[in-house]
Amino acid sequence: MANKGTCKAEGCQKDVVGKGYCSRHYKLWREGKMPKARYKTCRTEGCRKKQTDKGHCADHQKKKAAAEG
Ligand SMILES: [Zn+2]
Ligand SMILES: [Zn+2]
């Protein structure tokens, strides 16, 4: 059987069992608890907002820009 790769949930490296998720995340997905990842998410850890072309969501991009002056 071909290797399906690793779970597509952010930060998860477990083997895929279905829909691109590992057993744990696939269960969450079936329960409707996984966010639909049709877009790349913000690079800030724990943030699931839509990523802008800068790599962060609009909120975090604003904070980052403010921090950089
Ligand atoms: Zn997983
Ligand atoms: Zn963010």
Side-chain angles (χ1 to χ4, degrees):
M1 199 164 82
N3 185 356
K4 291 179 187 173
T6 53
C7 178
K8 67 184 178 183
E10 196 176 316
C12 185
Q13 299 293 316
K14 295 192 178 193
D15 289 342
V16 167
V17 298
K19 295 286 179 188
Y21 292 112
C22 68
S23 55
R24 189 167 73 94
H25 284 116
Y26 182 50
K27 187 169 175 286
L28 291 174
W29 176 84
R30 285 197 313 183
E31 291 169 358
K33 290 175 185 170
M34 290 302 290
K36 286 191 177 120
R38 286 180 183 271
Y39 46 77
K40 287 189 177 179
T41 52
C42 178
R43 280 186 204 166
T44 300
E45 202 175 336
C47 183
R48 295 260 179 210
K49 290 184 184 174
K50 186 178 177 180
Q51 184 188 99
T52 68
D53 58 353
K54 306 281 187 185
H56 293 270
C57 68
D59 284 354
H60 282 118
Q61 187 56 39
K62 228 182 273 178
K63 281 179 190 164
K64 191 167 170 286
E68 285 171 358

